[in-house]
Amino acid sequence: MIQNKIWRWPLACALAFSAAAWSEAVSLERNQAEVQAVTFKNPVVWADVPDPDVIRVGDYFYMVSTTMHLMPGAPVMRSRDLVNWETVSYLFDELHETPKYDMEEGTVYGRGQWATSIRYHDGKFYALFSPNDVPYRSFVYTTDDPAKGWTLHSRMKHFHDASLFFDDDGRVYVFYGTGQLTELEADLSGVKEGGVDMTLQVRDEEEKGLLEGSRVIKHDGKYYLLMISWPNGGKRRQLCYRADKITGPYEKKVILCDNFAGFPYVGQGTIVDDAKGNWYGVIFQDRGGVGRVLTLSPCHWIDGWPMLGDEDGRVPETMEVPVKGGPVIPLVVGDEFDGDKLKMEWQWNHNPVDEAWTLKEHKGFLRLKTNKVVSNLYEARNTLTQRMEGPECSGSLALEVGGMKDGDRAGLAAFNGHSGILTVEKEGKDLFLVMSEEVVSLTDKEKKVTGVERKECARVKLPRTKKVYLRVDADFRLKRDIAEFYYSMDGKERLTLLHNIFHMDTREQLQFDWSWLLPSGLNTKDFIAPSSFDFSSTRSFTMGGQYCAVSALNIMASRM
């Protein structure tokens, strides 16, 4: 049977996927035992790692980033060289502040966990973040070892884009918002009554636009506050403020302004030193479909300012790996689903329904069970995701469809506010493979799904079968952001184009900030008989800022 390329899809920021790799797919994973090169090319992580904060403790660097509505949330990554990163833990498994985390009474698309700050003090790691949603309160987590998990330490007021800071005199502060500074109790139990609580003078005649993303360090006795700036009518850039006292006054300098490689301007991140006293800047760059990628630049202290970039003040295309001799570690991995638990790299879209998925009932398969009637994929529970990576990547999987009932749907999608969805549909006794384009409308406050505009682009009747193989190839190079969707009945033959290219409408107000690769299963009938969808091994994943996902659900109260 000839495999058929069913659609070419320009990605706007999210990808969704169905579930197991076929043997002939080309694996793009990297061997962990492979010894790293002496140099690397930027972006150092060509995948979605927004709002980074990085510290060094001993020989390890630790980084946290933003994953908003994904569970478990707030990934903590570890590296020996600032180039190869592995996810070692998450701050939390689920959030339950509002029913919206369970997709009840709305959603938390684009909200949830934002811009976490990580610090190490007196033998303990601390992490602070504030969900960008009601009830607008911060979380503080602690651990002795990030690889062993985190414990909730305290809750307190909301701090937007915060940076936790332990001063040399034992006092603790948080910088947040646009120059806000608040003192905390020394044990981080809450805001210190009568302590420092002020707004620093960071605004001036030039800084009247976006000014946020606080990251704070102390160097040679001075305080350094890094913030992203986007003046009205100007260019996004990285600023640094410095002062002799924590309360100011602060002076300002632009330390990086670069539209590296022709993409939008780089901005928001932090600086960190290695064990030898060399400094580096870790700053993200928005690259559309793949998400917000990481750049790594040298940081040179010039006249007391941490200037980022090469001799021309730009992000270098190629630079030396800061620490030599370590292993190459893939950020994105394949999964044979043959263990007792999912690999660390997977995340669910919103809180999962634990009783509706299992790795135990069919060895070597992830089984997803229908669990809820919804009207569209955007409200579907148990969507399992993993990043996609640039410049190009491929993910493939196999879907067992023998257990599908009339009205069931399962498949692969490029999932975001504007999505491309490749679906296996059961209609009576027949199976169809359907390619559709869908655009969701959300309310501003509750992010409720108010409607989905759907356009069917292709439909193929499938022969009687127990298994269908699905695959997506993505291209995130400059001015590309496209994906090609494929299917096969035997997982062996090459692919054939079924439909032409179309360009995704990014629709900024609808984006969730990531792309997802997502297997999904659902039912389109009013009456729901529990169904199951088995997703097999995913050997050829390389996913980044987009995510790879798996989901099973009852998606429709009536037929589409």
Side-chain angles (χ1 to χ4, degrees), residues 195-232:
V196 174
D197 189 13
M198 62 181 294
T199 298
L200 305 173
Q201 296 303 309
V202 294
R203 291 285 192 191
D204 57 26
E205 288 301 313
E206 190 179 23
E207 303 303 336
K208 294 182 178 180
L210 178 71
L211 188 59
E212 61 180 17
S214 300
R215 294 290 181 242
V216 180
I217 69 160
K218 193 173 185 180
H219 179 67
D220 287 347
K222 290 184 181 291
Y223 299 89
Y224 292 86
L225 168 61
L226 276 68
M227 300 181 75
I228 178 183
S229 162
W230 202 332
N232 295 330

Side-chain angles (χ1 to χ4, degrees), residues 68-73 92-105 108 112-113 129 131 133-137 139 141 152 155 348 350-355 381:
M68 297 187 183
H69 47 275
L70 300 183
M71 304 292 167
F92 56 87
D93 290 329
E94 298 179 8
L95 292 179
H96 294 281
E97 292 226 287
T98 76
K100 294 183 292 184
Y101 286 99
D102 296 318
M103 292 189 175
E104 302 290 344
E105 302 176 16
V108 290
Q113 173 261 337
F129 73 90
D133 202 354
V134 293
Y136 294 105
R137 296 185 66 213
F139 290 79
Y141 285 84
L152 179 62
R155 303 290 309 277
W348 300 99
H350 290 65
N351 290 334
V353 181
D354 288 333
E355 61 270 21
R381 303 292 299 276

Side-chain angles (χ1 to χ4, degrees), residues 482-497:
I482 62 173
E484 299 175 340
F485 287 82
Y486 308 85
Y487 78 98
S488 170
M489 303 311 299
D490 60 10
K492 295 180 180 180
E493 301 297 329
R494 297 303 300 167
L495 311 176
T496 306
L497 179 65

